[in-house]
Amino acid sequence: MDFQDDLRYRVNAGYPLIYVSTRDVWRAIEVGKRVAARCERDFYLWTASSGYFHCGKDNPEKPIQVGQGDGILDPGEASKLILGLNNSIVVLRNFHFYMEDPEMIARFKDAVQVLKGREVTVVLISNVQKIPPELQDDVTLVDFTLPDRAMLAERVAYIKGVAAENGIVVPPVDDKEIVDAALGMTTS
């Protein structure tokens, strides 16, 4: 089962807290957005630098900032917003920095049952796996691997196509060599 199917299964099964550990954070976020669309759920993304963005079920490609001015940058306020949502996937990027705060731990611990009842799944995505012991029984770990050969070959073909469309001459190189050189890298 690939990551997208695994995440969709867990969202539909009502898993309230999922932790995704990956070096390819942005690709994981994009998969989360696709899963939200397939599960007909709203999608929210929070980052410490930009705050919350909402991608509705009807318009997933046009994110709208939530909150005034710079949005909701404060992690405490960000975690409170989750409790008011229904039928949503909420991605918190690099939230591990804030998970050692006792108030934050208590907030997530208390939220687990509420989230299940409201069909809300919180997905913590980071390249560092850091889960407080108090939450380990409530959080489901999901590994998001780096792209495989097939995915990298698809990316190489896409890049070559875009280059050709824009009149950029790409020297003749065997795609297999490019894919081999890219193994272990992210797609970003």
Short mmCIF file of all heavy atoms in Angstrom, two decimals, residues 42 44 52 54 66 72 76-90 107-108 110-122:
data_model
loop_
_atom_site.label_atom_id
_atom_site.label_comp_id
_atom_site.label_asym_id
_atom_site.label_seq_id
_atom_site.Cartn_x
_atom_site.Cartn_y
_atom_site.Cartn_z
N ASP A 42 -12.18 19.30 4.04
CA ASP A 42 -11.42 20.53 3.93
C ASP A 42 -9.98 20.24 4.31
O ASP A 42 -9.69 19.33 5.09
CB ASP A 42 -11.99 21.61 4.85
CG ASP A 42 -13.30 22.18 4.33
OD1 ASP A 42 -13.47 22.26 3.11
OD2 ASP A 42 -14.14 22.55 5.17
N TYR A 44 -6.42 22.06 5.74
CA TYR A 44 -5.76 23.20 6.37
C TYR A 44 -4.28 22.89 6.49
O TYR A 44 -3.90 21.77 6.81
CB TYR A 44 -6.32 23.46 7.78
CG TYR A 44 -7.73 23.96 7.79
CD1 TYR A 44 -8.80 23.08 7.71
CD2 TYR A 44 -8.01 25.32 7.89
CE1 TYR A 44 -10.11 23.53 7.73
CE2 TYR A 44 -9.31 25.79 7.91
CZ TYR A 44 -10.35 24.88 7.83
OH TYR A 44 -11.65 25.34 7.84
N TYR A 52 -2.02 29.73 9.11
CA TYR A 52 -2.96 28.76 8.54
C TYR A 52 -3.40 29.16 7.14
O TYR A 52 -3.68 30.32 6.86
CB TYR A 52 -4.24 28.70 9.38
CG TYR A 52 -4.29 27.58 10.37
CD1 TYR A 52 -4.29 27.85 11.72
CD2 TYR A 52 -4.34 26.25 9.96
CE1 TYR A 52 -4.36 26.82 12.65
CE2 TYR A 52 -4.40 25.23 10.87
CZ TYR A 52 -4.41 25.52 12.22
OH TYR A 52 -4.47 24.51 13.13
N HIS A 54 -6.35 27.60 4.29
CA HIS A 54 -7.48 26.70 4.12
C HIS A 54 -7.70 26.46 2.64
O HIS A 54 -7.79 27.39 1.85
CB HIS A 54 -8.74 27.33 4.75
CG HIS A 54 -9.99 26.57 4.47
ND1 HIS A 54 -11.09 27.16 3.91
CD2 HIS A 54 -10.31 25.27 4.67
CE1 HIS A 54 -12.05 26.25 3.79
NE2 HIS A 54 -11.60 25.10 4.24
N VAL A 66 -6.12 31.98 6.82
CA VAL A 66 -7.07 32.04 7.92
C VAL A 66 -6.53 32.99 8.97
O VAL A 66 -5.38 32.90 9.36
CB VAL A 66 -7.27 30.63 8.54
CG1 VAL A 66 -8.19 30.69 9.73
CG2 VAL A 66 -7.79 29.66 7.49
N ILE A 72 -2.68 33.13 11.62
CA ILE A 72 -2.49 32.60 12.97
C ILE A 72 -1.11 31.97 13.05
O ILE A 72 -0.92 30.82 12.68
CB ILE A 72 -3.60 31.58 13.30
CG1 ILE A 72 -4.97 32.26 13.18
CG2 ILE A 72 -3.39 30.98 14.68
CD1 ILE A 72 -6.13 31.30 13.25
N GLY A 76 0.00 28.01 19.86
CA GLY A 76 -1.10 27.79 20.81
C GLY A 76 -2.44 28.11 20.18
O GLY A 76 -3.40 27.35 20.29
N GLU A 77 -2.52 29.25 19.50
CA GLU A 77 -3.76 29.63 18.80
C GLU A 77 -4.04 28.66 17.65
O GLU A 77 -5.19 28.33 17.37
CB GLU A 77 -3.65 31.07 18.27
CG GLU A 77 -3.63 32.11 19.37
CD GLU A 77 -4.88 32.08 20.24
OE1 GLU A 77 -5.99 32.02 19.69
OE2 GLU A 77 -4.72 32.10 21.47
N ALA A 78 -2.98 28.22 16.99
CA ALA A 78 -3.15 27.27 15.89
C ALA A 78 -3.78 25.97 16.38
O ALA A 78 -4.66 25.41 15.74
CB ALA A 78 -1.80 26.98 15.22
N SER A 79 -3.33 25.50 17.55
CA SER A 79 -3.88 24.25 18.07
C SER A 79 -5.31 24.42 18.55
O SER A 79 -6.11 23.49 18.47
CB SER A 79 -3.00 23.71 19.21
OG SER A 79 -3.02 24.58 20.32
N LYS A 80 -5.68 25.62 19.00
CA LYS A 80 -7.06 25.87 19.44
C LYS A 80 -8.03 25.87 18.25
O LYS A 80 -9.17 25.44 18.38
CB LYS A 80 -7.15 27.21 20.17
CG LYS A 80 -6.52 27.19 21.54
CD LYS A 80 -6.60 28.58 22.17
CE LYS A 80 -5.81 28.66 23.45
NZ LYS A 80 -5.76 30.02 23.99
N LEU A 81 -7.59 26.38 17.12
CA LEU A 81 -8.46 26.46 15.94
C LEU A 81 -8.96 25.08 15.53
O LEU A 81 -10.09 24.92 15.09
CB LEU A 81 -7.72 27.11 14.77
CG LEU A 81 -8.52 27.18 13.47
CD1 LEU A 81 -9.26 28.49 13.39
CD2 LEU A 81 -7.66 26.97 12.26
N ILE A 82 -8.13 24.07 15.71
CA ILE A 82 -8.46 22.70 15.30
C ILE A 82 -9.76 22.23 15.95
O ILE A 82 -10.57 21.55 15.32
CB ILE A 82 -7.30 21.74 15.64
CG1 ILE A 82 -6.07 22.11 14.82
CG2 ILE A 82 -7.69 20.29 15.43
CD1 ILE A 82 -4.80 21.45 15.28
N LEU A 83 -9.97 22.61 17.21
CA LEU A 83 -11.15 22.13 17.95
C LEU A 83 -12.46 22.66 17.38
O LEU A 83 -13.51 22.11 17.66
CB LEU A 83 -11.02 22.48 19.42
CG LEU A 83 -9.90 21.74 20.15
CD1 LEU A 83 -9.75 22.25 21.57
CD2 LEU A 83 -10.12 20.25 20.12
N GLY A 84 -12.40 23.72 16.59
CA GLY A 84 -13.61 24.27 16.00
C GLY A 84 -13.93 23.74 14.61
O GLY A 84 -14.90 24.16 14.00
N LEU A 85 -13.11 22.83 14.12
CA LEU A 85 -13.28 22.33 12.76
C LEU A 85 -14.12 21.05 12.73
O LEU A 85 -14.24 20.34 13.72
CB LEU A 85 -11.92 22.05 12.13
CG LEU A 85 -10.96 23.23 12.01
CD1 LEU A 85 -9.61 22.77 11.46
CD2 LEU A 85 -11.55 24.33 11.14
N ASN A 86 -14.67 20.77 11.56
CA ASN A 86 -15.38 19.52 11.28
C ASN A 86 -14.93 19.03 9.91
O ASN A 86 -14.62 19.83 9.03
CB ASN A 86 -16.89 19.75 11.24
CG ASN A 86 -17.46 20.05 12.60
OD1 ASN A 86 -17.33 19.28 13.52
ND2 ASN A 86 -18.07 21.23 12.72
N ASN A 87 -14.92 17.71 9.74
CA ASN A 87 -14.69 17.10 8.44
C ASN A 87 -13.47 17.70 7.72
O ASN A 87 -13.58 18.20 6.61
CB ASN A 87 -15.96 17.25 7.58
CG ASN A 87 -15.97 16.28 6.43
OD1 ASN A 87 -15.46 15.17 6.52
ND2 ASN A 87 -16.55 16.69 5.32
N SER A 88 -12.32 17.63 8.39
CA SER A 88 -11.12 18.28 7.86
C SER A 88 -9.87 17.45 8.09
O SER A 88 -9.81 16.63 8.99
CB SER A 88 -10.91 19.64 8.54
OG SER A 88 -12.00 20.49 8.35
N ILE A 89 -8.87 17.74 7.26
CA ILE A 89 -7.51 17.28 7.50
C ILE A 89 -6.69 18.54 7.77
O ILE A 89 -6.73 19.49 7.00
CB ILE A 89 -6.93 16.51 6.29
CG1 ILE A 89 -7.70 15.21 6.07
CG2 ILE A 89 -5.44 16.24 6.49
CD1 ILE A 89 -7.27 14.44 4.84
N VAL A 90 -5.97 18.52 8.89
CA VAL A 90 -5.16 19.67 9.28
C VAL A 90 -3.71 19.22 9.31
O VAL A 90 -3.35 18.30 10.06
CB VAL A 90 -5.56 20.20 10.67
CG1 VAL A 90 -4.70 21.40 11.05
CG2 VAL A 90 -7.04 20.55 10.71
N ARG A 107 -3.46 19.83 25.59
CA ARG A 107 -4.45 20.22 24.59
C ARG A 107 -4.66 19.11 23.56
O ARG A 107 -5.78 18.77 23.20
CB ARG A 107 -4.01 21.51 23.90
CG ARG A 107 -5.06 22.09 22.99
CD ARG A 107 -4.71 23.47 22.50
NE ARG A 107 -4.73 24.41 23.61
CZ ARG A 107 -3.80 25.35 23.82
NH1 ARG A 107 -2.80 25.46 22.98
NH2 ARG A 107 -3.88 26.16 24.83
N PHE A 108 -3.58 18.51 23.08
CA PHE A 108 -3.70 17.43 22.10
C PHE A 108 -4.28 16.18 22.75
O PHE A 108 -5.10 15.48 22.14
CB PHE A 108 -2.35 17.13 21.44
CG PHE A 108 -2.07 18.03 20.28
CD1 PHE A 108 -1.32 19.19 20.45
CD2 PHE A 108 -2.57 17.76 19.03
CE1 PHE A 108 -1.06 20.03 19.38
CE2 PHE A 108 -2.33 18.60 17.95
CZ PHE A 108 -1.57 19.74 18.13
N ASP A 110 -6.39 16.03 25.24
CA ASP A 110 -7.82 16.27 25.42
C ASP A 110 -8.58 16.27 24.09
O ASP A 110 -9.77 15.94 24.04
CB ASP A 110 -8.06 17.60 26.13
CG ASP A 110 -7.55 17.61 27.56
OD1 ASP A 110 -7.28 16.52 28.10
OD2 ASP A 110 -7.40 18.71 28.13
N ALA A 111 -7.90 16.65 23.02
CA ALA A 111 -8.57 16.82 21.72
C ALA A 111 -8.84 15.50 21.00
O ALA A 111 -9.69 15.45 20.11
CB ALA A 111 -7.72 17.71 20.81
N VAL A 112 -8.16 14.44 21.38
CA VAL A 112 -8.26 13.17 20.64
C VAL A 112 -9.71 12.73 20.44
O VAL A 112 -10.14 12.45 19.32
CB VAL A 112 -7.42 12.07 21.32
CG1 VAL A 112 -7.72 10.71 20.72
CG2 VAL A 112 -5.94 12.39 21.17
N GLN A 113 -10.50 12.65 21.49
CA GLN A 113 -11.88 12.19 21.37
C GLN A 113 -12.74 13.18 20.60
O GLN A 113 -13.61 12.79 19.82
CB GLN A 113 -12.49 11.91 22.75
CG GLN A 113 -11.88 10.71 23.44
CD GLN A 113 -11.92 9.46 22.58
OE1 GLN A 113 -12.93 9.13 21.96
NE2 GLN A 113 -10.81 8.73 22.53
N VAL A 114 -12.49 14.46 20.80
CA VAL A 114 -13.26 15.50 20.08
C VAL A 114 -13.01 15.38 18.58
O VAL A 114 -13.93 15.45 17.78
CB VAL A 114 -12.88 16.91 20.59
CG1 VAL A 114 -13.55 17.99 19.76
CG2 VAL A 114 -13.22 17.05 22.06
N LEU A 115 -11.75 15.19 18.21
CA LEU A 115 -11.40 15.10 16.79
C LEU A 115 -12.07 13.90 16.13
O LEU A 115 -12.57 14.00 15.01
CB LEU A 115 -9.88 15.01 16.62
CG LEU A 115 -9.08 16.22 17.09
CD1 LEU A 115 -7.58 15.94 16.98
CD2 LEU A 115 -9.45 17.47 16.32
N LYS A 116 -12.11 12.77 16.82
CA LYS A 116 -12.76 11.58 16.27
C LYS A 116 -14.23 11.87 15.97
O LYS A 116 -14.75 11.49 14.93
CB LYS A 116 -12.66 10.41 17.25
CG LYS A 116 -11.32 9.77 17.31
CD LYS A 116 -11.34 8.60 18.30
CE LYS A 116 -10.00 7.97 18.44
NZ LYS A 116 -10.03 6.87 19.43
N GLY A 117 -14.91 12.54 16.89
CA GLY A 117 -16.33 12.82 16.72
C GLY A 117 -16.63 13.83 15.63
O GLY A 117 -17.73 13.86 15.09
N ARG A 118 -15.66 14.63 15.29
CA ARG A 118 -15.86 15.67 14.27
C ARG A 118 -15.24 15.32 12.93
O ARG A 118 -15.19 16.14 12.03
CB ARG A 118 -15.28 16.99 14.77
CG ARG A 118 -16.03 17.52 15.95
CD ARG A 118 -15.53 18.87 16.32
NE ARG A 118 -16.33 19.39 17.42
CZ ARG A 118 -16.20 20.59 17.90
NH1 ARG A 118 -15.32 21.41 17.39
NH2 ARG A 118 -16.95 20.99 18.89
N GLU A 119 -14.71 14.11 12.81
CA GLU A 119 -14.04 13.67 11.58
C GLU A 119 -12.92 14.62 11.18
O GLU A 119 -12.83 15.06 10.04
CB GLU A 119 -15.05 13.47 10.46
CG GLU A 119 -16.05 12.37 10.74
CD GLU A 119 -16.99 12.12 9.59
OE1 GLU A 119 -17.20 13.02 8.76
OE2 GLU A 119 -17.51 11.00 9.51
N VAL A 120 -12.07 14.91 12.15
CA VAL A 120 -10.89 15.76 11.92
C VAL A 120 -9.65 14.91 12.17
O VAL A 120 -9.55 14.24 13.19
CB VAL A 120 -10.89 16.99 12.84
CG1 VAL A 120 -9.60 17.78 12.68
CG2 VAL A 120 -12.10 17.88 12.55
N THR A 121 -8.74 14.94 11.22
CA THR A 121 -7.45 14.27 11.38
C THR A 121 -6.36 15.33 11.35
O THR A 121 -6.30 16.12 10.41
CB THR A 121 -7.21 13.25 10.25
OG1 THR A 121 -8.24 12.26 10.29
CG2 THR A 121 -5.86 12.58 10.40
N VAL A 122 -5.54 15.34 12.38
CA VAL A 122 -4.38 16.24 12.43
C VAL A 122 -3.17 15.43 12.00
O VAL A 122 -2.89 14.36 12.55
CB VAL A 122 -4.17 16.80 13.86
CG1 VAL A 122 -2.90 17.64 13.92
CG2 VAL A 122 -5.39 17.61 14.28
#
